[in-house]
Amino acid sequence: MLMDLMVKLCHTNVDSPFPVWQNGTISPCVNQLLLGSLSHAVIAITSACYISVPRLTHIASSLPIGWGFRAASTLLMALMFIGDLVLVFELQAPGIYLNVLADGCGVLAWLVHFGAVLALQRSMYRRTRGPALFPVLLILPIPNLAFILTAYVQEINHLGVLQPLQVVRLALTVTRAALVLVYILGYIFPCYRTQRDLLSCNAEDTAPLIVTFEPDGGVTVAEDGCSWLSRLLYLWLNPLLRRGKRGELEKPCDVFQLPHRLRTKAVTLRFYQCWQKCLHPRGLERPERQDRLPRGNLQDNNWSEAEPERMCEGGTQRDVKLLQVLHKAFGLRYYLLGVLKLVASMLAFAGPLLLGGLVGFMETEGAPLSKGVWCAVGLFASTFLAAVLRNVFVYEVSKVALEARVAVISTIYSKALKVSASALARFNMGEVVNFMSTDTDRVVNFFNSFHEVWSLPFQFVLALYLLYLQVGVAFLGGVAVAVLLVPLNKVLASRILENNKHMLLHKDGRVKLMTEILFGIRVLKYYNWEEHFTQKIAETRKKELHHLKLLKYLDAVCVYTWAALPVVISILTFITYVLLGNNLTAAKVFSTLALVGMLILPLNAFPWVLNGTLEAKVSLDRIQRFLTLQDQDLTGSLVAVVGKVGCGKSSLLAAITGELTRSGGEVFVGGREQGFGLAVQEPWIQHATVQDNILFGRDFDSTFYQAVIEACALADDLNILPGGDQTEVGENGVTLSGGQKSRLALARAVYMDKEIYLLDDPLAAVDADVAHHLMEKCILGILKNKTRILCTHRIEFVDKADVVVLMDNGMIVKTGTSFHKACPLGSLNRNFVNAIGREEEEANEPELVAELKMFGEEQKQMGKLSWAVYCSYWRAVGGCIAVAVLLSLFLMQASKNVSDWWLSHWISHLKDNTTELTSGNVSSELKFYMTVYGSLAATNTIFTAARAFLFAYGAICAATVVHKRLLSSVLKATMTFFDTTPLGRILNRFSSDIYSVDDSLPFVLNILLANVFGLLGMLLVMSYGLPWVLVPLLPLGVLYYQTQCFYRHSSRELKRLCSLTLSPVYSHFSETLSGLSTVRASGHTSRFEEENERRLEQNQRCLFSSNAAMQWLDIRLQMIGVTVVTGISLIAVIQHQLKSIDPGLVGLSLSYALSITNLLSGLIFSFAQTEMQLVSIERTEEYSTNIPQEPQEASTEVLESWPEKGRVEFVGAVLVYRPGLPNALDGVSLEVLPGERVGIVGRTGSGKSSLFLAVFRMVELNQGQILLDGVDISSVRLSNLRSRLAIIPQDPFLFSSTVRENLDPHGRHPDFRLLDALEQCHLGDVVQRIGGLDSEVGERGKSLSVGQRQLLCLARALLTEANILCIDEATASVDHKTDMLLQKTIREKFKDKTVLTIAHRLNTIMDSDRVLVMHAGKVVEFDSPAALCQREDSISNHLMSMLMANQVN
């Protein structure tokens, strides 16, 4: 068939289809194909590498004249070829097809080169002659020109001028030669316009003339300025890979800088400009800023009425679709890459045709050697060009995908900074983060699959046509099965999509619940709720695994059809062909086998491509829905308020900042465009140092900084912290007390130096002395000339306000110039005191501040994965299942290879016995061969099914075991682990790592095992069929091994760096969402967007290097595959000449060799991907085995009623948080009698919270004992101990479930008990108003105010009926009247119980039977309040004096 094609193309005879020499000169066929078409193909491919060269953003210098000549000559050259093409069609000469091919290649080459010249004119090559390769390219077609001119001259001399069109063609050819000369002259003589340009060619360009490899602070810039050869073979990546092999890729800064075109800032600027063009399609674009992406809005200090339209802002975003902007920004370049895909797809089909020609050559004795040589050369050329084009295509598409990823993530982040709080409340934080993670990944993955949507049907149709040419209508027998499977694939695809949606829904629910568990882990452990929440997680996980199981089994059906279909189609095709009365030949059999393999790919891939497209559409719609949310309302209310819990104070401050949506009315806030100094009720602290939190992006002013530290009473705290103001405070300030967080947030607001300050109860978490300091030194001191809006329950300070507003039920009740006018409540009790000095009580665990000088960065494992990781996954799958999977894989591959060998044996037998059909009847011998072949194929399908379903079952087992072990280990971890580990780091194990274990790892591992067994089977068959193939295979095998080793070291580290740099992007987004009100109110949105860009850039650098490394490996493996194919072809030709060859075995070997390129490439990629995914097993295994665990054993069994009396004894208790740190409890000995009420006071770090932590065994004692009713608590099981104690923590954490579940998660109490507890805590009306016990409290209780949440936590304690109650000043955020009622409730309900209270308020202390005074971990005083007041040397004497003074006032 190939020979026929050559005869028609070159217009030659069958005996000599491709003559080299003809009529005393080189033949037209060789001239046009090799010297013409091939040289122009090289020009086109090489020039294409320079089209995407980075452009200069600012060009002021003039362009050398030589560039103009070169551009003009290139364009004219393309026009000459177009003219010649027209003449060819007019002449209708015998060699028309050859001339059309040659002229078409010429047109394409010079148009592409013209594009490259234009691109280089606006690049760093502008002031140079350009790449030195270009004149070499111009030389390539010169021999072709010379031979054409010679042929035209001879023809005109022979025929005269009887054919004027031929004379015109001669003229066009002469013109082409002249244009080549002009181009070369333009290269040699650039002709700078001025001497200044010549001598100072870089003076006005923003990019250097020659890009060095250290322009960014010694860090290499990837790809930019590299030669075409370096780009084609990725030689520029070698230094990075060498560093990876040496183990030097440890940090993100170790990888290359991104090419300038892919820089985050450049991409976001281009995307914004496209957004504006879509927003103003009729040329109404406003002037664009070139320095950075405009982000102006009210918070950025440049908001005005004239600029209401911004990217992603309310009102305008509905007119702009994200897909429309993506199309405008990246569409043209992306669509043009489809040309490469088309050519590569067509070249792939040349392999089976050339294979048929080569096998036909070997079957024919005495066939000319040139025929075999040309087939071998054709195989080399087609596989080589297809490999190069496919590699360039994948690499360029990955770059476009990276640009789109930056654009989408930046757009989502920008929108999140602008969307109104009420609109954002429709989503929980996990869902919003999913827009940036999962949904963005799906949209970006669409870039990899779009070109498959059109190319797969094209490949399918082309494969069918070629099959028809090979076996005629017999191909319908096999294809009928494939066509029947299309509806099955469609059903499978829809079911997979449906189950995937359900699985992701349950996954989101599980991750959301896990997020809440991690945020509330301290509460969880205090209340002994681990088992309950483990069951909740297990139930959600069970539903998730149910859909995952269905997915895996549906995948198994797909894998089965994919693996079995080639064999079934081949059998049916060949049997149909034979039954139709045809004889099988080796050429037909192995060409058909190769084509069937190519037919299966689009059939099986298309449903997945379609699924990917549908998933991308769903995610795009989800992101679009987020982008169309209403933006922040820029008008609000101005109020200064006091009032009871839940009256609306915080809501009014949120309205001023625009966080709430205004439904009516108008209020003006002067100076609003400058932003606010905001201190919210729940302090938002960044994961940074104390100083960075205070500066919040502003310049350091030492004098003002020290004044702020003093005004916010932080000086003593900084002395206690191990690193002073350079101490890193951890995620959300986990290492600080509640008061320290509140004052740090206040200091940040003060340092912003705004004109308007919104202060939402900053005095709630501090005692009277500190509150007095903050009022005098800060609110009335350093802020005295500012507008201050203060919400507070500290009624003793309200008289100092200029205007006081009383609120109730969301309405302003009264307004006055003094508190008594606004709030005539009668006699007021000034009830706030300082327990000892200037320090407030901690909300969490202040002693840990000494433990954590810095929150360490997440450690990245180095080197190859240990065998322990592989063994742990083997155990998770199950040893028997794993062995069964490997055995089924071996049998599946063996049966496939044996069936192929049987087919080749059958063909060889046919050659010797040409008569198989007699009188239309099938001979018994043919029946025998067909039966054996069919049986082998049936056996293969059985083993294939066994492998698919066993693997699916093993993957489910592993997913179940890994998650169960991880959850159990994490929930049993010590509190120190949670306090020293960012929650995002733990959550990553339960989200992305578990997702890898569930889905990604089994998928790539399945492919890897199939590739391993496939390669082994292929090598055995090839070695059996052509033993000489071992000669090139051995050195190529060594080269392959060294190449993949060189690659794997770096790819593994790059994958780890990708994971390492991705977490900061998401954690910064989550942190921004948590502190959105502060960021926006303070006018720091631009700085946060720039920080997002910086973090995203780091991640993009690692991703780009990882993608480039994959293509670096791919091109080398492709070349090894090309070498194998060429080597086998040449060996076959040589052995044919020696007459020592079996055409059947050669055909089998060659058909295998054609797929060896993809198999070699797939093997290493699947191995690398498997290693990358096994990093998730490594990470989950780390948290399953290597984190500190709470002791679970118990040596003493206690009664259900223990502790009956409630006696608490400390006997020489010593507690140290970490070796080398001072004792948090230092020999504490005391006894609390049954039913006694003890108030605990002391400075920060005195050991107050450590007492509670020790009683609940949140931290184990180093020495001494704690006895409850005489029983040593260290011998009691933790669950028994914590379930018999009750605590009301200062931090009122609620889970985002119902009121009922927050009160009684185990469901042990009837409704009337729950309602009674709520009534006693004055929450009955509130709960009824929001919908009763089954109403949702919102994410972390957002539906309730902070004070109401504290009351709900008190209701929990009322339900426990424990004999020992610990209270950590749980009423700090409630008003005085409510507090008095609650104290009464506690006295009545816990009348006979032992109550330990860490106290701030004096009435709590006076209500105690005894007061415990702690200092430096020791007991200083422990006596009744009356006795302590009578002792003049008592520390508490100062306390009582203050009480008397307040009562007098």
Side-chain angles (χ1 to χ4, degrees), residues 5 33 55 258 269 351 605 677 831 860 967 998 1064 1122 1284 1385:
L5 180 65
L33 276 181
R55 310 291 175 85
L258 287 169
L269 177 59
N831 61 327
K860 178 178 77 70
L967 180 64
D998 288 352
V1122 169
R1284 312 298 167 79
T1385 300

Side-chain angles (χ1 to χ4, degrees), residues 558-589:
C558 290
V559 168
Y560 169 69
T561 56
W562 176 77
L565 200 55
V567 179
V568 174
I569 290 179
S570 301
I571 290 174
L572 292 175
T573 301
F574 293 141
I575 290 178
T576 305
Y577 187 74
V578 171
L579 292 176
L580 288 174
N582 301 302
N583 287 330
L584 288 175
T585 64
K588 284 193 179 297
V589 165

Side-chain angles (χ1 to χ4, degrees), residues 213-259:
F213 277 93
E214 296 183 345
D216 291 270
V219 181
T220 305
V221 177
E223 192 178 53
D224 284 356
C226 297
S227 67
W228 69 274
L229 186 63
S230 179
R231 284 168 175 262
L232 191 64
L233 298 179
Y234 304 93
L235 301 178
W236 55 268
L237 199 61
N238 285 349
L240 181 72
L241 297 177
R242 278 194 284 269
R243 293 177 68 181
K245 194 171 191 309
R246 295 195 299 265
E248 296 174 2
L249 288 180
E250 299 179 3
K251 302 183 293 297
C253 59
D254 292 333
V255 303
F256 291 164
Q257 288 281 355
L258 287 169

Side-chain angles (χ1 to χ4, degrees), residues 877-896:
V877 172
C880 294
I881 294 295
V883 170
V885 168
L886 293 178
L887 182 61
S888 62
L889 268 165
F890 170 76
L891 293 173
M892 183 192 82
Q893 188 61 42
S895 59
K896 183 180 184 305

Side-chain angles (χ1 to χ4, degrees), residues 61-74:
S61 59
S62 58
L63 185 71
I65 298 172
W67 276 111
F69 280 108
R70 291 161 69 183
S73 60
T74 304

Side-chain angles (χ1 to χ4, degrees), residues 937-978:
T939 305
N940 175 259
T941 60
I942 293 171
F943 290 136
T944 302
R947 162 244 179 164
F949 285 95
L950 283 171
F951 198 95
Y953 180 75
I956 295 295
C957 292
T960 306
V961 170
V962 170
H963 181 269
K964 188 175 180 180
R965 290 181 64 224
L966 177 66
L967 180 64
S968 174
S969 175
V970 167
L971 289 186
K972 290 176 183 174
T974 62
M975 277 310 304
T976 304
F977 167 75
F978 292 104

Side-chain angles (χ1 to χ4, degrees), residues 1150-1192:
L1150 270 173
S1151 66
Y1152 278 7
L1154 280 177
S1155 60
I1156 198 171
T1157 304
N1158 290 333
L1159 196 57
L1160 287 173
S1161 178
L1163 177 63
I1164 186 57
F1165 283 134
S1166 56
F1167 187 75
Q1169 286 293 322
T1170 303
E1171 269 197 327
M1172 291 175 186
Q1173 298 302 332
L1174 278 169
V1175 169
S1176 293
I1177 291 289
E1178 180 184 54
R1179 285 158 58 87
T1180 55
E1181 187 68 13
E1182 176 193 2
Y1183 275 27
S1184 298
T1185 57
N1186 295 333
I1187 58 176
Q1189 301 277 294
E1190 292 179 326
Q1192 302 297 317

Side-chain angles (χ1 to χ4, degrees), residues 1046-1099:
F1046 189 60
Y1047 162 79
R1048 276 178 48 229
H1049 285 288
S1050 297
S1051 75
R1052 189 168 50 229
E1053 302 311 320
L1054 286 171
K1055 168 64 178 175
R1056 285 169 172 160
L1057 285 175
C1058 287
S1059 299
L1060 204 65
T1061 54
L1062 187 59
S1063 292
V1065 176
Y1066 297 155
S1067 63
H1068 176 66
F1069 189 39
S1070 300
E1071 190 175 62
T1072 303
L1073 292 172
S1074 299
L1076 203 53
S1077 58
T1078 302
V1079 174
R1080 295 200 288 211
S1082 58
H1084 280 260
T1085 53
S1086 287
R1087 184 171 67 83
F1088 272 73
E1089 282 191 275
E1090 287 167 2
E1091 175 64 17
N1092 177 62
E1093 282 183 2
R1094 187 188 66 79
R1095 295 183 182 217
L1096 186 56
E1097 175 103 354
Q1098 273 202 329
N1099 181 242

